[in-house]
């Protein structure tokens, strides 16, 4: 088995809900992949070992395995202590921890912790560091990037390293509010770009009333006939993203001066792109999977360098 920089490797993104593994060629392309609803939150240690045994049986001649995400958290196989921002490829490679999951040797990639300059508050990420390293392979340079998702990250890149960042729970808030509770009763259909979404973005970003009051106001608008049920999800999503953008611009006041890469799934990233565009900020979409693959390769190169 070769551990050279251009050798095949295995990258595993192992979150709370899902397991994704890629056999990655030297040029960063996928040779094969495994996707399963086998997240660590639903598995015992024996269950995690069984998942890795399945991988080893499918790829008996696999190269070095690198795993990121919740597998390295306090609910995973072993807790990998956070690297401290600013952190680059070499820092993360040094901070990987070697473990054996069942009979498979694995290096767990740590997350990153920071204390932001603008408010002195701590923040953490785990799993996104691999995507961010991949982004820096695809598009070297400084500036702010965003990773839209359940817990969206806004991250400063500086001198080839991952700097301070801000996390917003707007994705989880949207999912919960529109699935149950008072606002669920006014929502019909999915959120989409359009006048209702743009109005929500503008109101969420403007400040004034707090977000909780603005969110209840969405119900009042529907009840009073100022907002259709078909547009309610779009308006609510707009409020949340607009408020999030206001926070990101407060944390990173120079964000509007450059293109903001958006790493994530297409539909949600396109909503973020529309929201940023409505306030005059240009963005570009970056496929999460591609960023992950290149990030794992970068960590491998740094580990053997």
């Amino acid at each position: 088995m070769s551990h050279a920089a251009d050798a095949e490797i295995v990258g595993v993104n192992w979150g709370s809900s899902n397991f994704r593994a890629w056999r990655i060629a030297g040029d960063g392309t996928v040779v094969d992949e495994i996707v399963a609803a086998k997240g660590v939150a639903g598995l015992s240690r024996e269950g995690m070992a069984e998942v890795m045994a399945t991988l080893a049986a499918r790829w008996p001649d696999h190269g070095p395995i690198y795993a990121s995400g919740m597998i390295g958290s306090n609910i995973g196989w072993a807790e990998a202590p956070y690297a401290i921002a600013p952190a680059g490829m070499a820092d993360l490679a040094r901070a990987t921890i070697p473990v054996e999951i069942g009979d498979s040797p694995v290096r767990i990639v740590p997350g990153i912790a920071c204390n932001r300059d603008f408010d002195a508050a701590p923040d953490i990420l785990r799993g996104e560091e691999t995507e961010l390293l991949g982004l820096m392979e695809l598009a070297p340079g400084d500036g702010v990037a965003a990773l839209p998702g359940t817990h969206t990250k806004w991250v400063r890149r500086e001198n080839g390293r991952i700097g301070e960042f801000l996390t917003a729970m707007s994705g989880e808030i949207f999912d919960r509010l529109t699935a149950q509770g008072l606002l669920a009763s006014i929502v019909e259909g999915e959120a989409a770009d359009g006048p209702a979404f743009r109005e929500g973005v503008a109101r969420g970003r403007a400040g004034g009333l707090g977000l909780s009051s603005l969110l209840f106001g969405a119900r009042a608008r529907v009840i009073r006939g100022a907002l259709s049920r078909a547009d309610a999800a779009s308006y609510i999503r707009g409020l949340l993203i607009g408020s999030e953008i206001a926070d990101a611009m407060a944390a990173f006041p120079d964000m509007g001066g450059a293109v903001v890469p958006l790493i994530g799934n297409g539909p949600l990233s396109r909503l973020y792109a529309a929201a940023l565009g409505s306030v005059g900020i240009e963005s570009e979409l970056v496929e999460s999977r591609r960023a992950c693959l290149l990030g794992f390769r970068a960590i491998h190169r740094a580990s053997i360098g």
Side-chain angles (χ1 to χ4, degrees):
M1 182 189 305
S2 173
H3 286 226
D6 60 352
E8 279 191 7
I9 64 169
V10 173
V12 177
N13 184 339
W14 206 340
S16 299
S17 304
N18 294 292
F19 172 90
R20 296 179 178 88
W22 300 283
R23 187 167 178 169
I24 308 169
D27 62 358
T29 58
V30 174
V31 177
D32 193 13
E33 66 182 305
I34 302 170
V35 179
K38 297 282 188 179
V40 298
L43 295 176
S44 64
R45 290 182 71 80
E46 292 77 13
M48 295 178 207
E50 288 173 7
V51 172
M52 290 304 299
T54 300
L55 181 153
R58 179 159 166 173
W59 301 330
D61 58 343
H62 65 74
I65 302 173
Y66 299 89
S68 67
M70 294 302 286
I71 188 65
S73 74
N74 61 353
I75 65 168
W77 184 265
E79 190 165 4
Y82 291 102
I84 303 302
M89 271 190 302
D91 303 298
L92 289 164
R94 281 193 298 270
T96 59
I97 62 169
V99 299
E100 286 200 2
I101 303 179
D103 295 325
S104 297
V106 177
R107 296 201 73 88
I108 296 179
V109 181
I112 300 176
C114 77
N115 275 81
R116 293 187 295 266
D117 288 339
F118 91 101
D119 63 353
D123 209 332
I124 52 175
L125 60 79
R126 194 179 288 280
E128 294 90 352
E129 73 289 327
T130 308
E131 294 170 282
L132 288 161
L133 290 179
L135 171 65
M136 289 189 281
E137 294 283 296
L138 285 167
D142 295 349
V144 176
L147 297 93
T150 304
H151 303 145
T152 297
K153 307 289 183 180
W154 297 83
V155 185
R156 184 181 296 284
R157 299 167 295 150
E158 50 189 7
N159 301 317
R161 307 175 87 189
I162 299 164
E164 61 180 345
F165 48 90
L166 170 74
T167 305
M169 294 181 67
S170 56
E172 180 174 346
I173 292 170
F174 176 82
D175 291 343
R176 291 179 179 272
L177 289 179
T178 57
Q180 59 185 4
L182 199 61
L183 293 187
S185 66
I186 66 165
V187 171
E188 292 179 1
E190 302 294 325
D193 186 21
F197 175 74
R198 301 290 179 111
E199 183 180 359
V201 170
R203 288 183 177 274
R205 180 174 172 262
L209 290 176
L211 185 57
S212 62
S213 296
L214 291 172
L215 287 167
F216 184 84
R219 173 174 168 78
R221 283 168 172 261
V222 171
I223 299 301
R224 299 295 295 164
L227 179 68
S228 73
R229 291 176 183 271
D231 286 334
S234 301
Y235 180 74
I236 292 166
R237 180 72 92 172
L239 286 175
L240 289 162
I241 294 178
S243 175
E244 186 180 322
I245 288 173
D247 288 345
M249 293 182 74
F252 308 113
D254 58 342
M255 186 175 78
V259 175
V260 176
L262 300 172
I263 312 171
N265 76 70
L268 184 56
S269 289
R270 283 191 286 273
L271 282 179
Y272 273 79
L276 287 167
S278 73
V279 300
I281 298 176
E282 188 179 353
S283 60
E284 61 180 351
L285 304 186
V286 177
E287 184 192 13
S288 173
R289 180 175 180 268
R290 179 62 174 153
C292 268
L293 299 175
L294 291 176
F296 280 122
R297 287 231 59 96
I299 292 168
H300 174 64
R301 287 199 309 271
S303 296
I304 65 172

